Protein backbone atom coordinates (compact mmCIF):
# COMPACT_ATOMS: atom_id res chain seq x y z
CA UNK A 1 0.00 0.00 0.00
CA UNK A 2 1.59 3.27 -1.16
CA UNK A 3 0.57 5.32 1.86
CA UNK A 4 2.19 2.85 4.30
CA UNK A 5 5.36 2.63 2.23
CA UNK A 6 5.61 6.43 1.94
CA UNK A 7 5.06 6.76 5.69
CA UNK A 8 7.73 4.20 6.53
CA UNK A 9 10.25 5.73 4.13
CA UNK A 10 9.51 9.25 5.35
CA UNK A 11 9.91 8.16 8.96
CA UNK A 12 13.09 6.21 8.26
CA UNK A 13 14.65 9.19 6.47
CA UNK A 14 13.65 11.44 9.38
CA UNK A 15 15.05 8.90 11.84
CA UNK A 16 18.54 9.27 10.36
CA UNK A 17 18.34 13.04 9.92
CA UNK A 18 20.16 15.59 12.13
CA UNK A 19 16.96 16.67 13.84
CA UNK A 20 16.70 13.52 15.99
CA UNK A 21 20.22 13.89 17.38
CA UNK A 22 19.12 15.67 20.60
CA UNK A 23 17.12 12.63 21.79
CA UNK A 24 19.68 9.96 20.85
CA UNK A 25 21.93 10.35 23.93
CA UNK A 26 18.90 10.08 26.23
CA UNK A 27 17.60 6.95 24.50
CA UNK A 28 21.06 5.40 24.44
CA UNK A 29 21.83 6.08 28.11
CA UNK A 30 18.43 5.35 29.65
CA UNK A 31 17.67 2.17 27.71
CA UNK A 32 19.86 0.22 30.09
CA UNK A 33 19.15 2.16 33.29
CA UNK A 34 15.90 1.45 35.08
CA UNK A 35 14.33 2.77 38.29
CA UNK A 36 15.38 1.07 41.50
CA UNK A 37 12.88 -0.93 43.53
CA UNK A 38 12.11 0.46 47.00
CA UNK A 39 14.40 -0.95 49.62
CA UNK A 40 16.86 -2.43 47.16
CA UNK A 41 20.23 -1.15 46.13
CA UNK A 42 20.26 0.14 42.59
CA UNK A 43 23.52 -1.69 41.88
CA UNK A 44 21.91 -5.15 41.91
CA UNK A 45 18.77 -4.36 39.93
CA UNK A 46 19.02 -5.52 36.32
CA UNK A 47 17.14 -3.62 33.66
CA UNK A 48 14.60 -5.67 31.75
CA UNK A 49 15.74 -6.82 28.30
CA UNK A 50 12.49 -5.49 26.92
CA UNK A 51 13.13 -1.98 28.22
CA UNK A 52 14.39 -0.54 24.88
CA UNK A 53 11.28 -1.82 23.14
CA UNK A 54 9.00 -0.30 25.79
CA UNK A 55 10.74 3.10 25.54
CA UNK A 56 10.36 3.23 21.76
CA UNK A 57 6.78 1.89 21.93
CA UNK A 58 5.83 4.67 24.34
CA UNK A 59 7.46 7.26 22.09
CA UNK A 60 5.68 5.99 18.97
CA UNK A 61 2.27 5.88 20.65
CA UNK A 62 2.42 9.30 22.30
CA UNK A 63 3.96 10.96 19.24
CA UNK A 64 1.20 9.56 17.02
CA UNK A 65 -1.63 10.53 19.38
CA UNK A 66 -0.27 14.01 20.11
CA UNK A 67 0.38 14.73 16.43
CA UNK A 68 -3.06 13.61 15.30
CA UNK A 69 -5.28 14.59 18.20
CA UNK A 70 -3.30 17.08 20.30
CA UNK A 71 -4.47 20.25 18.56
CA UNK A 72 -8.07 19.10 18.43
CA UNK A 73 -8.24 18.14 22.11
CA UNK A 74 -6.46 21.27 23.32
CA UNK A 75 -8.77 23.40 21.21
CA UNK A 76 -11.86 21.73 22.67
CA UNK A 77 -10.55 22.25 26.20
CA UNK A 78 -9.32 25.82 25.51
CA UNK A 79 -5.82 24.87 26.63
CA UNK A 80 -2.71 26.51 25.10
CA UNK A 81 -1.07 24.52 22.28
CA UNK A 82 2.19 24.29 24.23
CA UNK A 83 0.58 22.53 27.22
CA UNK A 84 1.38 18.98 26.08
CA UNK A 85 4.97 19.87 25.31
CA UNK A 86 5.51 21.50 28.71
CA UNK A 87 3.89 18.54 30.45
CA UNK A 88 6.32 16.23 28.66
CA UNK A 89 9.27 18.41 29.63
CA UNK A 90 8.15 18.33 33.28
CA UNK A 91 7.80 14.53 33.26
CA UNK A 92 11.28 14.09 31.75
CA UNK A 93 12.71 16.42 34.40
CA UNK A 94 11.01 14.47 37.21
CA UNK A 95 12.20 11.11 35.84
CA UNK A 96 15.73 12.47 35.51
CA UNK A 97 15.76 13.71 39.11
CA UNK A 98 14.38 10.35 40.21
CA UNK A 99 17.23 8.53 38.49
CA UNK A 100 19.71 10.70 40.39
CA UNK A 101 17.94 10.38 43.75
CA UNK A 102 16.24 7.00 44.32
CA UNK A 103 14.61 8.32 47.50
CA UNK A 104 12.76 10.95 45.48
CA UNK A 105 11.75 8.28 43.00
CA UNK A 106 10.34 6.06 45.70
CA UNK A 107 8.43 9.02 47.13
CA UNK A 108 6.79 9.53 43.74
CA UNK A 109 5.83 5.85 43.62
CA UNK A 110 4.03 5.85 46.97
CA UNK A 111 0.63 7.00 45.63
CA UNK A 112 0.65 4.02 43.25
CA UNK A 113 1.75 1.31 45.68
CA UNK A 114 -1.82 0.08 46.20
CA UNK A 115 -2.25 -0.62 42.52
CA UNK A 116 -2.23 -4.36 41.65
CA UNK A 117 1.38 -4.88 40.64
CA UNK A 118 3.62 -7.82 41.31
CA UNK A 119 6.29 -5.58 42.79
CA UNK A 120 6.43 -1.89 43.21
CA UNK A 121 9.44 -0.69 41.28
CA UNK A 122 9.32 -3.36 38.60
CA UNK A 123 7.21 -1.04 36.47
CA UNK A 124 10.41 0.60 35.32
CA UNK A 125 10.12 -0.78 31.82
CA UNK A 126 10.63 2.67 30.31
CA UNK A 127 7.18 2.96 28.76
CA UNK A 128 6.32 6.07 30.78
CA UNK A 129 9.55 7.74 29.77
CA UNK A 130 8.82 6.86 26.14
CA UNK A 131 5.39 8.45 26.46
CA UNK A 132 7.00 11.64 27.78
CA UNK A 133 9.62 11.65 25.01
CA UNK A 134 6.89 11.33 22.38
CA UNK A 135 5.23 14.55 23.53
CA UNK A 136 8.41 16.59 23.08
CA UNK A 137 9.88 14.75 20.12
CA UNK A 138 9.57 17.11 17.15
CA UNK A 139 11.33 15.67 14.10
CA UNK A 140 12.09 17.66 10.98
CA UNK A 141 8.84 18.67 9.30
CA UNK A 142 9.34 16.83 6.03
CA UNK A 143 6.49 16.24 3.59
CA UNK A 144 5.06 13.22 5.39
CA UNK A 145 4.94 14.93 8.78
CA UNK A 146 3.52 18.09 7.16
CA UNK A 147 0.64 16.09 5.71
CA UNK A 148 -0.02 14.46 9.09
CA UNK A 149 0.01 17.78 10.96
CA UNK A 150 -2.38 19.38 8.47
CA UNK A 151 -4.76 16.44 8.82
CA UNK A 152 -4.59 16.51 12.62
CA UNK A 153 -5.01 20.27 12.91
CA UNK A 154 -8.06 20.30 10.67
CA UNK A 155 -9.77 17.14 11.87
CA UNK A 156 -9.32 15.22 8.60
CA UNK A 157 -8.38 12.02 10.39
CA UNK A 158 -9.44 8.99 8.40
CA UNK A 159 -8.02 5.51 8.14
CA UNK A 160 -5.43 6.69 5.57
CA UNK A 161 -4.23 9.44 7.90
CA UNK A 162 -3.89 7.01 10.79
CA UNK A 163 -1.98 4.56 8.58
CA UNK A 164 0.32 7.34 7.40
CA UNK A 165 0.95 8.51 10.96
CA UNK A 166 1.61 5.07 12.43
CA UNK A 167 3.83 4.00 9.54
CA UNK A 168 5.79 7.26 9.81
CA UNK A 169 6.25 6.78 13.56
CA UNK A 170 7.38 3.19 13.02
CA UNK A 171 9.85 4.35 10.39
CA UNK A 172 11.32 6.87 12.84
CA UNK A 173 11.37 4.18 15.55
CA UNK A 174 13.67 1.82 13.64
CA UNK A 175 16.91 3.85 13.98
CA UNK A 176 15.91 4.96 17.49
CA UNK A 177 15.42 1.33 18.52
CA UNK A 178 18.90 0.50 17.21
CA UNK A 179 20.35 3.14 19.54
CA UNK A 180 18.23 1.94 22.45
CA UNK A 181 19.33 -1.68 21.96
CA UNK A 182 22.94 -0.54 21.69
CA UNK A 183 22.58 1.33 24.97
CA UNK A 184 21.09 -1.73 26.63
CA UNK A 185 23.97 -3.93 25.43
CA UNK A 186 26.53 -1.45 26.73
CA UNK A 187 24.75 -1.36 30.09
CA UNK A 188 24.76 -5.15 30.32
CA UNK A 189 28.49 -5.25 29.67
CA UNK A 190 29.10 -2.61 32.32
CA UNK A 191 27.06 -4.63 34.84
CA UNK A 192 28.79 -7.82 33.88
CA UNK A 193 32.21 -6.25 34.37
CA UNK A 194 31.63 -3.96 37.35
CA UNK A 195 28.51 -5.48 38.90
CA UNK A 196 27.02 -2.07 39.36
CA UNK A 197 24.52 0.20 37.67
CA UNK A 198 24.62 3.38 39.71
CA UNK A 199 26.99 5.25 37.40
CA UNK A 200 24.83 4.50 34.39
CA UNK A 201 21.72 5.70 36.22
CA UNK A 202 23.43 8.97 37.15
CA UNK A 203 24.59 9.59 33.59
CA UNK A 204 21.11 8.75 32.26
CA UNK A 205 19.46 11.05 34.78
CA UNK A 206 21.80 13.91 33.88
CA UNK A 207 21.02 13.33 30.19
CA UNK A 208 17.28 13.49 30.85
CA UNK A 209 17.57 16.67 32.89
CA UNK A 210 19.80 18.22 30.23
CA UNK A 211 17.26 17.34 27.53
CA UNK A 212 14.40 18.81 29.57
CA UNK A 213 16.29 22.06 30.20
CA UNK A 214 17.42 22.21 26.59
CA UNK A 215 13.85 21.77 25.35
CA UNK A 216 12.66 24.53 27.65
CA UNK A 217 15.15 26.92 26.03
CA UNK A 218 14.85 25.56 22.47
CA UNK A 219 18.48 24.40 22.46
CA UNK A 220 17.80 21.37 20.19
CA UNK A 221 16.37 23.73 17.57
CA UNK A 222 19.56 25.78 17.63
CA UNK A 223 21.72 22.64 17.38
CA UNK A 224 19.73 21.41 14.39
CA UNK A 225 20.39 24.65 12.52
CA UNK A 226 24.14 24.18 12.98
CA UNK A 227 24.08 20.86 11.14
CA UNK A 228 23.47 20.46 7.41
CA UNK A 229 20.30 18.53 6.60
CA UNK A 230 21.88 15.72 4.60
CA UNK A 231 18.46 14.09 4.09
CA UNK A 232 16.69 17.06 2.45
CA UNK A 233 17.41 15.83 -1.08
CA UNK A 234 15.98 12.40 -0.31
CA UNK A 235 12.90 13.97 1.30
CA UNK A 236 12.34 16.09 -1.80
CA UNK A 237 12.65 13.08 -4.11
CA UNK A 238 10.18 11.19 -1.95
CA UNK A 239 7.68 14.06 -2.00
CA UNK A 240 7.94 14.56 -5.75
CA UNK A 241 7.62 10.89 -6.66
CA UNK A 242 4.34 9.72 -8.13
CA UNK A 243 3.63 7.57 -5.09
CA UNK A 244 4.53 10.43 -2.75
CA UNK A 245 2.26 12.91 -4.52
CA UNK A 246 -0.58 10.40 -4.44
CA UNK A 247 -0.14 9.53 -0.78
CA UNK A 248 0.59 12.99 0.61
CA UNK A 249 -1.08 15.51 -1.68
CA UNK A 250 1.06 18.29 -0.22
CA UNK A 251 -1.11 21.21 0.80
CA UNK A 252 -3.86 19.02 2.19
CA UNK A 253 -4.97 15.41 2.10
CA UNK A 254 -7.24 14.38 -0.73
CA UNK A 255 -10.78 13.65 0.38
CA UNK A 256 -13.97 12.77 -1.44
CA UNK A 257 -15.00 16.38 -0.92
CA UNK A 258 -12.05 17.92 -2.77
CA UNK A 259 -10.81 15.13 -5.03
CA UNK A 260 -12.25 16.60 -8.27
CA UNK A 261 -10.48 19.95 -7.87
CA UNK A 262 -7.65 18.41 -9.91
CA UNK A 263 -9.91 18.72 -12.96
CA UNK A 264 -9.44 22.50 -12.88
CA UNK A 265 -6.14 23.64 -14.40
CA UNK A 266 -4.64 26.79 -12.94
CA UNK A 267 -5.50 29.89 -14.98
CA UNK A 268 -7.38 27.92 -17.66
CA UNK A 269 -8.90 30.04 -20.42
CA UNK A 270 -12.20 28.12 -20.42
CA UNK A 271 -14.62 26.99 -17.75
CA UNK A 272 -14.25 23.43 -16.48
CA UNK A 273 -16.29 21.20 -14.17
CA UNK A 274 -14.29 20.38 -11.04
CA UNK A 275 -16.78 18.85 -8.65
CA UNK A 276 -18.96 20.25 -5.91
CA UNK A 277 -17.29 23.09 -4.04
CA UNK A 278 -15.75 21.88 -0.75
CA UNK A 279 -17.42 23.30 2.32
CA UNK A 280 -16.24 26.33 4.25
CA UNK A 281 -15.30 24.83 7.60
CA UNK A 282 -13.47 25.53 10.84
CA UNK A 283 -14.08 29.27 10.71
CA UNK A 284 -13.34 31.06 13.98
CA UNK A 285 -15.18 34.31 13.21
CA UNK A 286 -17.23 35.76 10.36
CA UNK A 287 -16.79 39.46 9.61
CA UNK A 288 -19.01 41.73 7.50
CA UNK A 289 -22.07 39.53 7.97
CA UNK A 290 -25.19 40.45 9.99
CA UNK A 291 -24.50 39.52 13.59
CA UNK A 292 -21.44 37.54 12.55
CA UNK A 293 -23.68 34.93 10.94
CA UNK A 294 -21.88 32.17 9.01
CA UNK A 295 -22.41 31.58 5.31
CA UNK A 296 -23.15 28.11 3.93
CA UNK A 297 -22.37 27.35 0.30
CA UNK A 298 -25.40 25.06 0.07
CA UNK A 299 -27.60 28.03 0.94
CA UNK A 300 -26.01 30.14 -1.81
CA UNK A 301 -27.29 27.98 -4.65
CA UNK A 302 -28.55 30.20 -7.46
CA UNK A 303 -25.68 32.66 -6.97
CA UNK A 304 -22.21 32.67 -8.49
CA UNK A 305 -19.62 32.53 -5.70
CA UNK A 306 -16.04 33.76 -5.75
CA UNK A 307 -13.87 32.50 -2.89
CA UNK A 308 -10.71 34.55 -2.38
CA UNK A 309 -8.00 33.16 -0.10
CA UNK A 310 -5.95 36.06 1.26
CA UNK A 311 -3.96 37.46 4.20
CA UNK A 312 -3.95 41.15 5.03
CA UNK A 313 -0.16 41.64 5.25
CA UNK A 314 0.62 39.68 2.05
CA UNK A 315 1.72 42.12 -0.66
CA UNK A 316 0.52 39.74 -3.38
CA UNK A 317 -2.94 39.89 -1.81
CA UNK A 318 -2.71 43.66 -1.43
CA UNK A 319 -2.25 44.00 -5.19
CA UNK A 320 -5.04 41.49 -5.85
CA UNK A 321 -7.67 42.84 -3.43
CA UNK A 322 -8.57 45.94 -5.54
CA UNK A 323 -9.72 43.59 -8.32
CA UNK A 324 -11.85 41.54 -5.92
CA UNK A 325 -13.36 44.69 -4.38
CA UNK A 326 -14.17 46.00 -7.87
CA UNK A 327 -15.87 42.73 -8.83
CA UNK A 328 -17.94 42.82 -5.67
CA UNK A 329 -19.03 46.39 -6.38
CA UNK A 330 -19.78 45.71 -10.06
CA UNK A 331 -21.53 42.34 -9.83
CA UNK A 332 -22.74 42.11 -6.25
CA UNK A 333 -26.27 43.09 -7.34
CA UNK A 334 -26.12 40.82 -10.41
CA UNK A 335 -25.85 37.53 -8.52
CA UNK A 336 -22.19 37.42 -7.43
CA UNK A 337 -21.34 36.53 -3.82
CA UNK A 338 -17.71 37.19 -2.89
CA UNK A 339 -16.33 35.44 0.20
CA UNK A 340 -12.88 36.34 1.49
CA UNK A 341 -11.25 33.48 3.40
CA UNK A 342 -8.55 35.09 5.51
CA UNK A 343 -5.87 32.43 5.94
CA UNK A 344 -3.04 33.69 8.18
CA UNK A 345 0.63 33.10 7.50
CA UNK A 346 1.78 34.92 10.66
CA UNK A 347 0.50 34.54 14.19
CA UNK A 348 -0.43 38.25 14.33
CA UNK A 349 -2.72 37.73 11.33
CA UNK A 350 -4.94 35.61 13.57
CA UNK A 351 -5.91 38.64 15.67
CA UNK A 352 -9.42 39.81 14.80
CA UNK A 353 -8.61 43.48 15.38
CA UNK A 354 -5.73 43.29 12.91
CA UNK A 355 -7.89 41.64 10.26
CA UNK A 356 -10.66 44.19 10.80
CA UNK A 357 -8.12 47.00 10.31
CA UNK A 358 -6.98 45.36 7.08
CA UNK A 359 -10.58 45.06 5.88
CA UNK A 360 -11.10 48.77 6.52
CA UNK A 361 -7.85 49.74 4.78
CA UNK A 362 -8.80 47.83 1.61
CA UNK A 363 -12.45 48.90 1.59
CA UNK A 364 -13.72 45.34 1.77
CA UNK A 365 -17.46 45.11 2.28
CA UNK A 366 -18.06 41.46 1.37
CA UNK A 367 -18.07 38.70 4.02
CA UNK A 368 -14.71 37.59 5.38
CA UNK A 369 -14.17 34.25 7.15
CA UNK A 370 -11.26 34.04 9.60
CA UNK A 371 -9.75 30.64 8.81
CA UNK A 372 -7.20 30.73 11.64
CA UNK A 373 -6.62 26.97 11.71
CA UNK A 374 -6.38 26.78 7.89
CA UNK A 375 -9.30 24.34 7.89
CA UNK A 376 -10.96 25.73 4.76
CA UNK A 377 -7.56 26.39 3.19
CA UNK A 378 -6.79 22.69 3.61
CA UNK A 379 -10.25 21.58 2.54
CA UNK A 380 -9.57 23.29 -0.79
CA UNK A 381 -6.01 21.88 -0.91
CA UNK A 382 -4.85 25.44 -1.38
CA UNK A 383 -1.20 26.51 -1.35
CA UNK A 384 -1.23 30.12 -2.52
CA UNK A 385 -1.87 33.70 -1.40
CA UNK A 386 -4.00 34.88 -3.16
CA UNK A 387 -6.12 32.13 -4.76
CA UNK A 388 -9.49 32.51 -6.48
CA UNK A 389 -12.13 29.79 -6.84
CA UNK A 390 -15.16 30.43 -9.09
CA UNK A 391 -18.27 28.44 -8.19
CA UNK A 392 -21.35 28.36 -10.43
CA UNK A 393 -24.98 28.71 -9.37
CA UNK A 394 -25.25 24.93 -8.96
CA UNK A 395 -22.39 24.83 -6.45
CA UNK A 396 -19.74 23.39 -8.82
CA UNK A 397 -16.19 24.72 -8.98
CA UNK A 398 -15.62 25.95 -12.55
CA UNK A 399 -12.32 27.87 -12.45
CA UNK A 400 -9.24 28.20 -10.22
CA UNK A 401 -6.55 30.87 -10.37
CA UNK A 402 -3.50 30.76 -8.12
CA UNK A 403 -1.39 33.81 -7.34
CA UNK A 404 -1.54 37.24 -8.89
CA UNK A 405 -2.58 38.13 -12.41
CA UNK A 406 -5.01 36.48 -14.84
CA UNK A 407 -7.68 38.96 -13.72
CA UNK A 408 -9.11 39.52 -17.19
CA UNK A 409 -9.68 35.79 -17.69
CA UNK A 410 -11.18 35.37 -14.22
CA UNK A 411 -13.60 38.25 -14.82
CA UNK A 412 -14.52 36.96 -18.30
CA UNK A 413 -15.40 33.53 -16.90
CA UNK A 414 -17.20 35.13 -13.97
CA UNK A 415 -19.40 37.04 -16.40
CA UNK A 416 -20.15 33.83 -18.31
CA UNK A 417 -21.35 32.16 -15.12
CA UNK A 418 -23.48 35.17 -14.19
CA UNK A 419 -25.09 35.15 -17.65
CA UNK A 420 -25.77 31.41 -17.33
CA UNK A 421 -27.42 31.91 -13.94
CA UNK A 422 -29.47 34.99 -14.99
CA UNK A 423 -29.77 35.19 -18.80
CA UNK A 424 -32.10 38.20 -18.60
CA UNK A 425 -29.76 40.20 -16.36
CA UNK A 426 -27.89 43.07 -18.05
CA UNK A 427 -24.32 43.06 -16.77
CA UNK A 428 -22.38 46.31 -16.33
CA UNK A 429 -19.20 47.09 -18.23
CA UNK A 430 -16.12 45.12 -17.27
CA UNK A 431 -14.12 46.57 -14.44
CA UNK A 432 -11.01 48.49 -15.36
CA UNK A 433 -8.53 48.00 -12.53
CA UNK A 434 -4.92 48.11 -13.69
CA UNK A 435 -2.92 44.93 -13.18
CA UNK A 436 0.05 45.75 -10.94
CA UNK A 437 1.42 42.21 -10.99
CA UNK A 438 5.22 42.41 -11.42
CA UNK A 439 6.92 40.26 -14.03
CA UNK A 440 8.22 36.95 -12.71
CA UNK A 441 11.81 37.36 -11.54
CA UNK A 442 11.72 41.14 -11.89
CA UNK A 443 11.60 41.81 -8.15
CA UNK A 444 13.33 40.58 -5.02
CA UNK A 445 11.55 37.52 -3.57
CA UNK A 446 9.50 38.02 -0.41
CA UNK A 447 11.97 38.16 2.46
CA UNK A 448 11.19 36.95 5.98
CA UNK A 449 13.35 37.99 8.93
CA UNK A 450 12.12 35.52 11.57
CA UNK A 451 14.21 32.44 12.33
CA UNK A 452 11.51 30.02 11.19
CA UNK A 453 11.42 31.29 7.60
CA UNK A 454 14.51 33.43 7.13
CA UNK A 455 15.84 33.69 3.62
CA UNK A 456 18.22 35.92 1.64
CA UNK A 457 20.49 36.70 4.63
CA UNK A 458 23.81 38.13 3.43
CA UNK A 459 25.90 37.48 6.51
CA UNK A 460 28.62 37.44 7.63
CA UNK A 461 28.14 34.58 10.07
CA UNK A 462 25.12 32.44 10.83
CA UNK A 463 21.56 33.69 11.19
CA UNK A 464 19.92 32.02 14.15
CA UNK A 465 17.35 32.52 16.88
CA UNK A 466 18.37 34.44 20.00
CA UNK A 467 20.50 37.45 20.78
CA UNK A 468 23.49 38.19 18.60
CA UNK A 469 25.88 40.84 17.33
CA UNK A 470 25.78 41.49 13.58
CA UNK A 471 27.66 43.66 11.11
CA UNK A 472 27.12 44.60 7.49
CA UNK A 473 29.14 42.59 4.94
CA UNK A 474 31.79 44.31 2.82
CA UNK A 475 30.08 43.13 -0.37
CA UNK A 476 26.34 42.50 -0.17
CA UNK A 477 24.70 40.55 -3.02
CA UNK A 478 21.52 41.72 -4.71
CA UNK A 479 18.18 40.56 -3.25
CA UNK A 480 19.60 40.07 0.25
CA UNK A 481 19.36 41.71 3.66
CA UNK A 482 21.96 42.21 6.38
CA UNK A 483 21.89 43.36 10.01
CA UNK A 484 24.19 45.67 11.94
CA UNK A 485 24.29 45.99 15.70
CA UNK A 486 22.72 43.96 18.51
CA UNK A 487 19.61 42.08 17.42
CA UNK A 488 17.32 39.45 18.90
CA UNK A 489 16.00 37.05 16.28
CA UNK A 490 12.61 35.60 17.20
CA UNK A 491 10.58 32.99 15.35
CA UNK A 492 8.65 35.48 13.22
CA UNK A 493 10.53 38.79 13.53
CA UNK A 494 13.74 40.56 14.54
CA UNK A 495 13.98 43.31 17.14
CA UNK A 496 16.91 45.34 18.54
CA UNK A 497 18.23 43.75 21.71
CA UNK A 498 16.94 45.58 24.77
CA UNK A 499 19.56 47.60 26.63
CA UNK A 500 22.18 47.22 23.89
CA UNK A 501 22.52 50.98 23.39
CA UNK A 502 22.82 52.24 19.83
CA UNK A 503 19.98 51.74 17.36
CA UNK A 504 20.30 48.70 15.15
CA UNK A 505 20.22 48.80 11.34
CA UNK A 506 18.95 46.69 8.45
CA UNK A 507 20.42 47.01 4.97
CA UNK A 508 18.38 45.72 2.03
CA UNK A 509 19.65 45.33 -1.54
CA UNK A 510 16.36 45.30 -3.42
CA UNK A 511 14.64 45.22 -6.81
CA UNK A 512 11.13 46.62 -6.97
CA UNK A 513 9.45 49.97 -7.41
CA UNK A 514 7.29 49.28 -4.37
CA UNK A 515 8.96 47.89 -1.27
CA UNK A 516 6.92 47.35 1.88
CA UNK A 517 7.78 46.01 5.30
CA UNK A 518 5.61 44.56 8.05
CA UNK A 519 6.47 46.25 11.37
CA UNK A 520 4.98 46.38 14.87
CA UNK A 521 5.77 47.98 18.20
CA UNK A 522 6.39 51.59 19.10
CA UNK A 523 9.12 53.93 17.88
CA UNK A 524 10.45 55.95 14.96
CA UNK A 525 12.04 54.19 11.99
CA UNK A 526 14.55 56.11 9.87
CA UNK A 527 14.71 55.03 6.20
CA UNK A 528 17.43 56.08 3.76
CA UNK A 529 17.27 54.98 0.11
CA UNK A 530 20.55 55.27 -1.79
CA UNK A 531 19.99 57.65 -4.68
CA UNK A 532 16.55 58.48 -3.35
CA UNK A 533 14.93 60.09 -0.36
CA UNK A 534 15.14 59.79 3.40
CA UNK A 535 12.12 59.67 5.63
CA UNK A 536 10.90 58.68 9.07
CA UNK A 537 8.03 56.33 9.86
CA UNK A 538 6.17 56.44 13.15
CA UNK A 539 5.37 52.94 14.39
CA UNK A 540 2.72 52.46 17.03
CA UNK A 541 0.59 49.36 17.39
CA UNK A 542 0.03 45.93 15.97
CA UNK A 543 1.79 44.60 12.86
CA UNK A 544 0.94 46.34 9.63
CA UNK A 545 2.50 46.97 6.24
CA UNK A 546 4.46 50.21 5.60
CA UNK A 547 5.87 51.40 2.30
CA UNK A 548 9.61 52.14 2.50
CA UNK A 549 10.47 52.67 -1.20
CA UNK A 550 8.30 55.30 -2.85
CA UNK A 551 7.45 55.80 -6.53
CA UNK A 552 10.15 58.47 -7.02
CA UNK A 553 12.89 56.30 -5.46
CA UNK A 554 15.15 54.08 -7.62
CA UNK A 555 13.48 50.83 -8.75
CA UNK A 556 16.52 48.94 -7.51
CA UNK A 557 19.26 49.79 -5.11
CA UNK A 558 20.07 49.79 -1.40
CA UNK A 559 18.07 51.04 1.55
CA UNK A 560 19.01 51.22 5.20
CA UNK A 561 16.56 51.24 8.09
CA UNK A 562 17.57 52.41 11.55
CA UNK A 563 15.37 50.62 14.05
CA UNK A 564 14.98 51.58 17.74
CA UNK A 565 14.27 49.29 20.67
CA UNK A 566 10.65 48.25 21.00
CA UNK A 567 10.07 47.79 17.26
CA UNK A 568 9.69 44.40 15.56
CA UNK A 569 10.40 43.90 11.84
CA UNK A 570 8.74 40.85 10.25
CA UNK A 571 9.31 40.84 6.50
CA UNK A 572 9.83 42.70 3.22
CA UNK A 573 7.66 42.37 0.13
CA UNK A 574 8.33 43.75 -3.33
CA UNK A 575 6.29 44.93 -6.27
Amino acid sequence: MDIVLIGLLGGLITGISPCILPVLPVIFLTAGARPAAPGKAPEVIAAKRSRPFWIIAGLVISFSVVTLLGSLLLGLLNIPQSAIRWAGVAVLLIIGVGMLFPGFEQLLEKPFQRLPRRKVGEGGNGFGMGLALGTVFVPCAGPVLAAIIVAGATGQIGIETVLLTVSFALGVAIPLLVFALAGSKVAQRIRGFRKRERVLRIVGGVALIALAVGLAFNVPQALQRLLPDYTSGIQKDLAESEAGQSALNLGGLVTDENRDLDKCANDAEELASCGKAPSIKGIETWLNTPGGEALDLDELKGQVVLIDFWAYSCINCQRSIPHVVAWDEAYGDQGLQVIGVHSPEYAFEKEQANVEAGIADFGIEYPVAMDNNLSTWTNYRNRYWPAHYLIDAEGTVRHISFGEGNYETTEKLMRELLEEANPDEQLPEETNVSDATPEVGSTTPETFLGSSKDRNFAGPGEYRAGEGEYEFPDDQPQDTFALDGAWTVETQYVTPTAGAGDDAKIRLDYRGQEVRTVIAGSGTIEVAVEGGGTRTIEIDGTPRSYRVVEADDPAEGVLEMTVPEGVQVYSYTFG
Side-chain angles (χ1 to χ4, degrees), residues 12 27 83 123 145 226 291 296 381 441 474 495:
L12 185 59
I27 291 175
L145 183 57
L226 294 175
D296 189 326
R381 294 157 56 193
D474 295 332
T495 185

Side-chain angles (χ1 to χ4, degrees), residues 371-413:
D371 186 26
N372 281 355
N373 293 319
L374 300 183
S375 300
T376 299
W377 168 284
T378 304
N379 207 31
Y380 276 74
R381 294 157 56 193
N382 190 48
R383 280 170 265 174
Y384 301 91
W385 288 276
H388 301 133
Y389 293 75
L390 268 178
I391 303 168
D392 67 18
E394 299 300 320
T396 300
V397 177
R398 303 295 300 277
H399 178 71
I400 298 174
S401 179
F402 295 135
E404 295 181 73
N406 200 44
Y407 302 117
E408 289 186 6
T409 300
T410 299
E411 184 171 7
K412 176 178 77 73
L413 300 179

Side-chain angles (χ1 to χ4, degrees), residues 96-333:
V97 173
M99 293 181 73
L100 292 180
F101 305 102
F104 175 72
E105 187 174 63
Q106 293 165 20
L107 181 65
L108 293 175
E109 281 193 335
K110 280 189 176 181
F112 305 100
Q113 287 183 0
R114 295 187 179 184
L115 295 179
R117 291 165 54 182
R118 288 178 297 177
K119 285 186 180 180
V120 175
E122 287 192 355
N125 52 29
F127 185 69
M129 189 184 72
L131 289 175
L133 279 173
T135 64
V136 299
F137 177 58
V138 184
C140 300
V144 178
L145 183 57
I148 294 169
I149 290 172
V150 166
T154 57
Q156 296 180 355
I157 305 174
I159 182 62
E160 289 185 343
T161 307
V162 174
L163 286 174
L164 183 66
T165 305
V166 174
S167 58
F168 176 82
L170 290 174
V172 173
I174 292 172
L176 296 182
L177 181 60
V178 171
F179 273 85
L181 289 172
S184 179
K185 291 294 184 183
V186 169
Q188 290 172 15
R189 292 193 177 189
I190 291 175
R191 284 194 300 273
F193 182 72
R194 299 180 181 177
K195 300 297 183 182
R196 59 184 301 161
E197 191 182 10
R198 181 61 180 160
V199 172
L200 187 63
R201 282 175 50 81
I202 292 175
V203 175
V206 170
L208 269 175
I209 294 172
L211 177 62
V213 174
L215 287 167
F217 291 96
N218 293 317
V219 173
Q221 184 183 26
L223 293 175
Q224 290 165 19
R225 285 195 298 272
L226 294 175
L227 298 171
D229 186 0
Y230 44 78
T231 63
S232 59
I234 307 175
Q235 290 274 21
K236 182 179 179 182
D237 291 341
L238 178 69
E240 293 180 352
S241 67
E242 184 176 346
Q245 290 284 354
S246 174
L248 304 178
N249 179 39
L250 302 182
L253 297 179
V254 177
T255 66
D256 290 337
E257 191 174 5
N258 61 30
R259 194 179 307 277
D260 288 338
L261 291 179
D262 288 337
K263 296 178 180 178
C264 273
N266 178 35
D267 290 345
E269 296 292 329
E270 305 293 336
L271 291 168
S273 181
C274 312
K276 181 182 177 182
S279 59
I280 298 175
K281 59 189 296 186
I283 301 304
E284 182 170 300
T285 304
W286 281 88
L287 305 173
N288 287 354
T289 63
E293 183 180 348
L295 297 187
D296 189 326
L297 291 181
D298 288 336
E299 297 177 359
L300 295 176
K301 294 287 183 65
Q303 299 184 68
V304 175
V305 177
L306 171 68
I307 293 183
D308 173 34
F309 286 93
W310 70 295
Y312 80 84
S313 74
C314 162
I315 191 171
N316 310 87
C317 301
Q318 292 171 13
R319 290 192 289 258
S320 173
I321 286 294
H323 296 270
V324 182
V325 169
W327 294 334
D328 177 59
E329 293 175 350
Y331 306 116
D333 293 332

